[in-house]
Structure formats: structure tokens, C-alpha cells
Amino acid sequence: MTTRTRTASVAALLLTLTTLPATALAATAEPAHVEGRLPSGATYLMDVPTDWNGTVLLFSHGYAAGPANPAQDAPDDATKALLLQQGYALIGSSYATTGWAVTDAVPDQLATLTTFTERFGAASRTIAWGRSYGGLVTTALAERAPQRIDGSLSLCGLVHGGVANWNNTLDPVFALKTLLAPDSDLPLVDLPDQRTATAAATVLTAAVDAAQTTARGRARIALAAALHNIPVWNQPTQVRPAATDWDAQQANQYTAVRGLLNAGFNRRQEAEARAGGNMTWNTGVDYARLLARSSVRKEVTELYKEAGLSLRTDLAALNRAPRIGADPDAVAWMSRTSSFTGKLTKPQFSVHTIGDALVPVQTESALRRAVTAAGSSALLRQAYTDNAGHCTFSAAEQLAALHTLEDRLTTGRWPATDAGALNSRAVAADSTTPARYTAYRPAPYPRPYDLAHPADGR
């Protein structure tokens, strides 16, 4: 559609884009690769194959801590290559800022779509899709700008929304401090800067590392992991432990708990700065009830028995510990910008790995709950892949999800979304990468919060 456009200068690129007539784009035989900058300062990418099939995929990338902030228009190179071969146009922006940037991401993604339409003409179909934090952005687009898209696809997304995410991130950190560092004065919320956040994370990481050397400490780490629903197999490099190998299960969780502290402190501080204060609370939370709803509670009870430690006593200690209250204005900001009503007007397909420690698969239960309460359940389908890690989808699995959503858009009815049907689609799309869809039902999300039931969890 146009000659390949590559330039190190944004000014030169914009000049090229504004001087090359649309008729020239249609006459050329090369695929288009366009890079540009939006008025917000966000950059964007567009890749349009010569034989564009009329569908544009608006990709929302995951959380970027900065300072690097590249634009992305596909989740990975292998999937991107297959999509371009099949004729899809791929677009996506960097978002104007890094971090919890939903207030920039949504308008920047819509502006990228507008720029694409002005450049290449209207698409016959527009699908919003994204991974991880980009799944939250995608779901926000689906709720707030449904007139701009035909459907949405969330992959390993934060589809529980911002308030639920930060509440559930607070719980394991609160448990670790209470049980492993009870005499420390490290702050869990209202973090004034990244230096304070890093220092607090360092103190608690040291406490976790020390605890891992004893049976009592390992049991308590497992309890904290259970409050976040950290799975016992959560990285592709890990050996999948046997169903009753409690020690191996806890060892796998230990690594994930250490990694969670970055989100619990450094990423929290950045989000608090945007929200204007602490947007989370555990007032009124009964940690015994929270554990009872956890997908890994059996492991916790067994490790406590092995350690000769009273689980009831530790849960009572958590319930007696001084609680954390939220700043109402910060909660309101997070609710307004980053939580969901569940009201869908266009089809959404949401897919998750079952072994995700960072954004546990139970987030899908929170999405289902909100969508059902809003009366939109007919528009939502969910599926699960039997693999460990955050967003560790194969190219085949991602294309299978996309093609399933496309069938729904074409026919007006959902095709089969069982594991067998999805794996058949995956093999047909790319037989060189794994197809691991599985029948799965996630446990309830431990700390639900959505705009349909905003008081839940208080």
C-alpha cells in the first residue's frame, strides 16, 4: 500500500506521511511500515500488508515501568509475522507515559486508530486486543468506546480492574510483614517516592529469604502466596510438582512471592502518585475467609501441619493486626479510570494461562461476575491454557483466540470454545507452536471489586 517508511526523524516521517497522496499508497506493491508521533507525545506503529484483508488489530501493550517506552503493534514477533501473512493490519501506540497509564493509554489508542483510518481508510472490522496490563486497556476500550471497535480480545489481562488488583496485591504483602517482620516499621501504602518503595521492598525481601530457610517460614510464605492465589507451577522453567508435593509447590511459589514485592511497592508507589493517595484497604477483611476461597489452601494447611505451626493462630494474628484504610478520593480515581461496570455491547473473548503468578487466573472470575451482574454474559466467552507463567501463550494459541472471536463477529453466534475446538484451531493456525487449551474453572476472585458492586471487600 505504500513504500516502506523508515526514518529516525519524526519530523521527516510526518512530512512523508502528509505529502504522499492516498492514491500513491494504493498503487505501490510493498507493505507499509509506518512510525509516527501523536499530539500527546506517544509514538505509534502501523504495519499494513500489501494484501490487507480489511481487519485492523489495535494492540494494547502491557505495563512498562520506563524509562524505555516503545510502541508495540503485536504481542511478539512470531505472532506478528503470522498475522501479517494472513493479511491483518497491525497498529498500536506506546502510551504517552509509562506505569499505570490508563488515562493516557485509552485516548492514545483511539488516536492511533483515527490516524490509521485517515491514512489507510476505514477498516471493515476493528478488533481491540492486548496482553497483561494491555488487557485492562482493551477492556476499558470495550466499555468506554464500543462504537470504535467490533470486538475485543484480552490475553492474560487485568480484567478484574484497578481497585481489585491493588487490593489483592496488598493482602500478601500485609501477611508477610505481619508474620515475618512484625517489629518493622516499613510502610505498605502511602509511599512518597520510589526510594522509599525500594527500601521497603528490600527489607521485606530479606525477611522472606530468611523465612525460606525454616519450615515455619516456608509455611507462612505459602499462606501469603495463597492470599494472592499464586499457583504452585508458575514459570515454564519450573518442574510441575505432584499434587501432594507440598515442599516443591512452596518452592515454586517462593520465587513468585519475591517477584510480587516489586508490584507491591515500586509499582504501587507509581500508581498511588497517579491516584493521589492510597487506593486500597483491608478494613473489614477476614483473612481466614480469604484463605478458605484460595485455590491453594490445601497446600497451606499441609505445610502448617508439617511445621508444627498453628494456622488458626497466624490467621488470628492477621485479623488482629492494625488495618489499612483507603483514601476515598484515590479509590474514586482508580474506580473511575481503571475499574469496570461489566457492561459489554460488543463481543469479548478473554483467555488466561492457568499458571499465572503475576495476574492470577482468578481474575477471570471477577470479570465473569461483573459481566453477569450487568446482564452482558452472552457477549463474553473465556478460555484457559495449561501452561505456566504470565502471558506465555504460543502464536498458535493467540491466533486460535483471534479466529474464534472473528467467527463470532461474522456469524453473530459464538462458535465452540471448548478446549478441543480451540486446540484444533490452534493447530490449523500454526502447527509449529504448542496448542494447550484445557477445560478449567477458576476459583472465585478473593477480593472482588467492580462498579456494579463497589462496596465489595470493604
Side-chain angles (χ1 to χ4, degrees):
M1 291 193 177
T2 184
T3 56
R4 183 174 297 275
T5 307
R6 295 189 183 277
T7 177
S9 166
V10 170
L13 172 63
L14 294 177
L15 179 62
T16 300
L17 294 180
T18 54
T19 56
L20 186 62
T23 53
L25 297 176
T28 58
E30 293 294 321
H33 174 81
V34 178
E35 302 180 16
R37 188 176 297 274
L38 300 171
S40 68
T43 58
Y44 61 78
L45 288 180
M46 298 180 183
D47 286 286
V48 184
T50 305
D51 54 346
W52 178 31
N53 63 17
T55 296
V56 60
L57 305 180
L58 176 63
F59 181 72
S60 296
H61 68 72
Y63 185 95
N69 188 27
Q72 299 177 44
D73 61 4
D76 55 76
D77 290 342
T79 303
K80 180 173 183 173
L82 288 170
L83 290 171
L84 290 174
Q85 289 173 14
Q86 294 182 14
Y88 295 95
L90 311 178
I91 65 175
S93 77
S94 64
Y95 320 149
T97 57
T98 58
W100 196 267
V102 65
T103 53
D104 294 317
V106 171
D108 284 341
Q109 289 291 81
L110 293 174
T112 299
L113 182 56
T114 296
T115 302
F116 172 85
T117 302
E118 292 172 347
R119 177 67 175 156
F120 295 101
S124 59
R125 177 176 288 167
T126 299
I127 294 174
W129 69 318
R131 297 210 307 187
S132 189
Y133 178 79
L136 182 145
V137 175
T138 295
T139 304
L141 288 166
E143 284 204 2
R144 296 163 195 170
Q147 72 281 5
R148 301 292 304 276
I149 65 173
D150 296 290
S152 57
L153 171 61
S154 171
L155 301 167
C156 56
L158 282 74
V159 290
H160 50 329
V163 174
N165 175 75
W166 291 111
N167 271 342
N168 192 220
T169 303
L170 174 65
D171 292 322
V173 177
F174 178 81
L176 291 171
K177 177 187 176 182
T178 301
L179 299 176
L180 303 183
D183 299 324
S184 71
D185 59 356
L186 64 92
L188 301 184
V189 299
D190 293 317
L191 302 164
D193 50 45
Q194 284 289 300
R195 181 177 180 180
T196 302
T198 299
T202 300
V203 169
L204 202 50
T205 299
V208 169
D209 289 344
Q212 185 64 16
T213 64
T214 70
R216 294 164 67 91
R218 290 190 292 273
R220 286 169 167 157
I221 293 170
L223 171 57
L227 297 178
H228 193 67
N229 270 312
I230 291 176
V232 298
W233 178 54
N234 56 71
Q235 290 295 330
T237 55
Q238 293 174 344
V239 174
R240 192 170 194 167
T244 59
D245 190 345
W246 315 118
D247 293 332
Q249 293 176 15
Q250 192 278 336
N252 286 351
Q253 289 174 318
Y254 162 63
T255 303
V257 168
R258 293 182 90 257
L260 182 64
L261 295 179
N262 177 48
F265 289 98
N266 296 87
R267 292 188 181 185
R268 166 181 283 279
Q269 190 279 326
E270 193 275 339
E272 285 187 347
R274 289 180 181 272
N278 169 37
M279 59 283 178
T280 57
W281 65 90
N282 64 359
T283 51
V285 173
D286 182 333
Y287 281 102
R289 292 182 62 187
L290 217 60
L291 176 62
R293 293 198 293 267
S294 175
S295 61
V296 290
R297 62 188 179 277
K298 177 64 173 175
E299 173 216 359
V300 176
T301 60
E302 293 300 323
L303 287 172
Y304 266 78
K305 289 178 184 177
E306 287 182 8
L309 193 61
S310 171
L311 178 57
R312 180 176 296 181
T313 298
D314 273 2
L315 289 171
L318 291 179
N319 283 339
R320 287 195 309 268
R323 295 311 176 95
I324 294 169
D327 178 338
D329 290 338
V331 174
W333 183 90
M334 189 63 70
S335 298
R336 183 175 63 254
T337 63
S338 310
S339 295
F340 302 122
T341 65
K343 296 177 182 177
L344 296 174
T345 59
K346 302 289 178 64
Q348 181 170 24
F349 196 29
S350 188
V351 183
H352 222 107
T353 58
I354 66 171
D356 191 339
L358 184 61
V359 184
V361 66
Q362 288 76 25
T363 60
E364 298 293 338
S365 296
L367 175 64
R368 166 62 65 182
R369 173 180 174 279
V371 169
T372 300
S376 306
S377 57
L379 291 170
L380 177 69
R381 290 293 184 274
Q382 294 164 295
Y384 305 94
T385 60
D386 187 24
N387 40 310
H390 180 54
C391 301
T392 53
F393 299 108
S394 69
E397 290 161 350
Q398 292 173 104
L399 263 66
L402 173 64
H403 294 161
T404 297
L405 176 61
E406 287 184 297
D407 272 6
R408 170 61 179 82
L409 299 180
T410 298
T411 66
R413 301 178 65 179
W414 284 104
T417 55
D418 61 275
L422 290 168
N423 283 329
S424 293
R425 283 186 183 270
V427 171
D430 177 25
S431 61
T432 67
T433 58
R436 296 162 293 189
Y437 281 97
T438 187
Y440 187 79
R441 184 183 180 92
Y445 191 72
R447 288 262 252 141
Y449 179 100
D450 55 69
L451 297 179
H453 300 90
D456 282 3
R458 287 190 183 273

